[in-house]
Amino acid sequence: MPRLGGIEAGGTKFVCAAGRGPEDAEFTEFPTGAPEETIAQAVEFFRGREPVEAVGIASFGPIDRRPESPTYGYITSTPKSRWRNTDLAGTVCRALGVRVAFDTDVNAAAVAEWRWGSARGLHSFVYVTIGTGIGGGAVIDGRLLHGRMHSEMGHIRIPRDRVRDPFPGNCPYHGDCLEGVASAPAIEARWGKPAHLIPDGHAAWALEADYLALGIVSWACTLSLERVVLGGGVMQRGELFPKIRERVAQLLNGYLEPPDIVAAELGRRAGVLGAIALAADRLRTFGLAPHGSELGQLGSDEPASAASPEFK
Amino acid sequence: MPRLGGIEAGGTKFVCAAGRGPEDAEFTEFPTGAPEETIAQAVEFFRGREPVEAVGIASFGPIDRRPESPTYGYITSTPKSRWRNTDLAGTVCRALGVRVAFDTDVNAAAVAEWRWGSARGLHSFVYVTIGTGIGGGAVIDGRLLHGRMHSEMGHIRIPRDRVRDPFPGNCPYHGDCLEGVASAPAIEARWGKPAHLIPDGHAAWALEADYLALGIVSWACTLSLERVVLGGGVMQRGELFPKIRERVAQLLNGYLEPPDIVAAELGRRAGVLGAIALAADRLRTFGLAPHGSELGQLGSDEPASAASPEFK
């Protein structure tokens, strides 16, 4: 496997990595400021080191990853106004002169868990992070799922009992979609304190498990999943896992075999490691990978004619 | 394109077709009786005609389509007890001595709409039928989605207002999953008369549109869809379409571009025509298709080593 670069572009911080995977990668991170300076800082990280053969970018979204689009490689309609319509992938590509892969942070994390973490060897699973938001990436039938744009799994609607939980939800677009009732900010807004200060055994965790179980049932019925890999800050609360498994089994009620429900293994490095895996796939697409290397089956949906976007 | 066969195995009737597509296919249909006699009747249809090069089967489910499984080609845990653990595909394969493709009725219908109907040229869409049940098939990134088994899209849970709709739902497994509140039997149970006898403008249709819109939002957020193709008896009610489109746009609220929402084109023939398309793909998988024929990109998820199940 060649030496590769990864950039996780997050709303609050950027993480950069250079290497071949979790064993040898060097990491750095810095706060997300204005686009020009922040991207320049990422570029400097790679310029100051042994060259990489390709760079993967795992970005907050929404992003444009349709190769035929004039804004391919851009962060598009994000609520973070400074970053709206930012040509992230193109800027990195031109500055470093290497191939660039571009996907969402959660798709990248799914790929990292697939390659090095809790989803090794699987054909059909989702990785879902529950933190400041709820987002998911799916690998189905051995390929990373994209569809028209990318999944927005956190924004599905779920049944709610307003007597048990009168909290109206805090998603600015949807109110009480899953993200609006079960993300870390929703937990804090409902209970008046941050999730990590809520004790074990509190009613918050039974409610959280019920909401996440309802989300898992929708994803499992739609995608037919072998496994659900759960990560993000909220899932540090270990008692959620048995509660979620029990509730998913109750909800499916024998109609479908419940998917395995497990913790993500790669933690905070999943996104940037996934970016490295995406970079590896980018090389594979062009046949530049060393013969015999096992670069994974990420499954590009890009048409062959657009396989070499120039970012110009 | 070679001459092909299709069998739609439904819970109440079987439909058989022989030909190359909607233009030239000959059809027959007969009630679903006991497995042995019913399958024999389908086999007779093909024996009495010019031979076909492969047969596709579009079956009610759940079915086993994992090529490595000892029950590959079987209808498995269906509530229709006579058909439980029936080797449908293997029996047809042995009787006719041709390659057999095997998938769900809704996956086959999705493929038919993709090839000849409302989803031509698309990369990512779902076909959903709303009738005696609710079921869907998805094509994502240009391939028919399977996952561990197959989608069961009708069994997602949706938010409900019990004041507006106290009906408890009639899904034997889940009560008020989407199928349990929005299928034709649910409409009949709630309003005390069959859907086709409920007049235009009745509150039933606003409620139905709201429920289907909630389902579409979950599928669109999970799969990232260009289009939703709606078929089945309930969707004969044309006023549902504008209501559903309006409600989906409200629910997504600008966060995602709503998918197109259109009527299926192939009607009651979608399943059996899809079976023919699956048969075409089966030949393509083996390189037996006539050179230059456009057999579509159905995207088999079957590993190469299992590409030739013997049904023995």
Side-chain angles (χ1 to χ4, degrees):
Chain A
M1 180 145 164
R3 184 174 159 82
L4 299 161
I7 299 173
E8 182 181 358
T12 57
K13 70 173 196 286
F14 265 51
V15 186
C16 297
R20 290 168 181 81
E23 313 78 20
D24 76 336
E26 304 165 85
F27 298 95
T28 192
E29 58 181 76
F30 43 87
T32 302
E36 198 174 336
E37 296 86 62
T38 311
I39 297 172
Q41 212 170 338
V43 166
E44 278 315 301
F45 170 80
F46 294 107
R47 283 197 177 139
R49 299 187 145 61
E50 192 188 335
V52 294
E53 293 191 31
V55 171
I57 302 177
S59 180
F60 69 90
I63 65 172
D64 185 348
R65 54 174 313 288
R66 296 165 301 168
E68 72 282 8
S69 163
T71 55
Y72 175 67
Y74 281 53
I75 294 172
T76 58
S77 56
T78 171
K80 301 174 223 307
S81 58
R82 284 194 302 185
W83 283 83
R84 205 168 288 159
N85 301 315
T86 296
D87 182 11
L88 174 55
T91 305
V92 171
C93 182
R94 287 187 298 270
L96 292 174
V98 296
R99 299 289 181 193
V100 170
F102 187 52
D103 216 315
T104 64
D105 42 10
V106 284
N107 276 351
V111 167
E113 293 288 343
W114 193 19
R115 190 176 181 114
W116 295 298
S118 292
R120 272 171 281 194
L122 297 186
H123 283 86
S124 299
F125 71 94
V126 291
Y127 163 86
V128 182
T129 178
I130 299 102
T132 55
I134 295 180
V139 168
I140 302 295
D141 302 327
R143 294 201 316 179
L144 190 57
L145 181 147
H146 289 106
R148 177 160 67 172
M149 191 175 74
H150 47 74
S151 294
E152 287 286 353
M153 296 188 197
H155 294 275
I156 64 170
R157 301 306 211 288
I158 55 166
R160 296 187 59 211
D161 177 344
R162 296 300 191 103
V163 176
R164 179 183 182 197
D165 177 25
F167 178 63
N170 66 356
C171 171
Y173 287 90
H174 311 125
D176 66 348
C177 65
L178 182 62
E179 178 170 298
V181 298
S183 64
I187 295 171
E188 180 165 354
R190 179 188 296 109
W191 301 105
K193 59 178 118 176
H196 70 274
L197 295 182
I198 298 175
D200 284 348
H202 189 284
W205 303 120
L207 185 69
E208 180 74 9
D210 283 0
Y211 285 157
L212 295 177
L214 286 160
I216 288 168
V217 164
S218 280
W219 303 321
C221 288
T222 305
L223 296 167
S224 190
L225 299 170
E226 297 169 287
R227 187 169 294 174
V228 177
V229 177
L230 298 175
V234 172
M235 296 313 301
Q236 298 304 304
R237 187 68 55 147
E239 72 176 286
L240 284 172
F241 283 92
K243 285 186 163 68
I244 292 169
R245 289 185 194 110
E246 183 186 354
R247 191 76 183 113
V248 167
Q250 283 172 355
L251 287 165
L252 290 175
N253 195 25
Y255 185 75
L256 295 181
E257 196 183 332
D260 300 335
I261 297 168
V262 305
E265 280 181 23
L266 300 173
R268 297 168 62 247
R269 297 304 193 205
V272 75
L273 289 170
I276 284 180
L278 291 169
D281 186 54
R282 192 89 186 119
L283 287 181
R284 192 178 62 84
T285 306
F286 290 93
L288 300 176
H291 194 67
S293 68
E294 292 175 10
L295 292 175
Q297 296 291 325
L298 304 188
S300 173
D301 62 355
E302 298 166 11
S305 62
S308 180
E310 293 298 323
F311 292 118
K312 275 171 186 161
Chain B
M1 179 145 164
R3 184 174 158 82
L4 299 163
I7 299 173
E8 182 180 358
T12 56
K13 71 172 194 289
F14 266 51
V15 186
C16 298
R20 289 167 182 82
E23 313 79 20
D24 76 336
E26 306 165 83
F27 298 94
T28 191
E29 57 180 75
F30 43 87
T32 302
E36 198 173 338
E37 296 85 64
T38 312
I39 297 172
Q41 213 170 337
V43 166
E44 279 316 301
F45 170 80
F46 294 107
R47 284 200 176 134
R49 298 187 146 61
E50 191 187 333
V52 295
E53 293 192 31
V55 171
I57 301 177
S59 179
F60 70 90
I63 65 171
D64 185 348
R65 53 174 313 288
R66 296 165 301 166
E68 72 281 8
S69 163
T71 55
Y72 176 67
Y74 280 54
I75 294 172
T76 58
S77 55
T78 173
K80 299 174 225 307
S81 58
R82 283 195 300 184
W83 283 82
R84 204 167 289 159
N85 301 317
T86 296
D87 181 11
L88 175 56
T91 305
V92 171
C93 182
R94 287 187 296 271
L96 293 175
V98 296
R99 299 287 181 194
V100 170
F102 186 54
D103 216 317
T104 63
D105 43 10
V106 283
N107 276 351
V111 167
E113 292 288 343
W114 193 18
R115 190 178 181 112
W116 294 298
S118 291
R120 271 172 282 194
L122 297 185
H123 283 86
S124 299
F125 72 93
V126 291
Y127 163 87
V128 182
T129 178
I130 298 101
T132 54
I134 296 181
V139 168
I140 302 295
D141 302 328
R143 293 202 314 181
L144 190 57
L145 181 148
H146 289 105
R148 177 161 66 172
M149 191 176 74
H150 48 73
S151 295
E152 286 286 352
M153 296 189 196
H155 294 274
I156 64 171
R157 301 307 212 286
I158 55 166
R160 297 187 58 212
D161 177 344
R162 295 299 190 105
V163 176
R164 180 183 181 197
D165 177 25
F167 178 62
N170 65 354
C171 171
Y173 288 91
H174 310 124
D176 65 349
C177 65
L178 182 62
E179 178 169 299
V181 298
S183 64
I187 294 170
E188 180 165 355
R190 180 188 295 110
W191 301 104
K193 58 180 118 175
H196 69 274
L197 294 182
I198 298 175
D200 284 347
H202 189 284
W205 303 119
L207 184 69
E208 180 74 8
D210 283 0
Y211 286 157
L212 295 177
L214 285 159
I216 288 169
V217 163
S218 279
W219 302 322
C221 288
T222 305
L223 296 167
S224 190
L225 300 169
E226 298 169 285
R227 188 169 294 173
V228 176
V229 177
L230 298 176
V234 172
M235 296 312 301
Q236 299 303 305
R237 186 69 54 146
E239 72 176 286
L240 283 172
F241 284 93
K243 285 186 163 67
I244 293 170
R245 289 185 193 111
E246 183 185 354
R247 192 73 185 117
V248 167
Q250 284 172 354
L251 287 165
L252 290 174
N253 195 25
Y255 185 75
L256 295 182
E257 195 183 334
D260 299 336
I261 297 166
V262 305
E265 281 181 23
L266 300 173
R268 298 170 59 248
R269 296 304 191 206
V272 75
L273 289 170
I276 285 181
L278 291 170
D281 185 54
R282 191 92 187 118
L283 287 181
R284 192 179 63 85
T285 306
F286 289 95
L288 300 176
H291 193 69
S293 69
E294 293 175 9
L295 293 174
Q297 295 290 325
L298 305 189
S300 173
D301 63 353
E302 297 166 14
S305 63
S308 181
E310 293 299 324
F311 292 116
K312 274 172 188 161

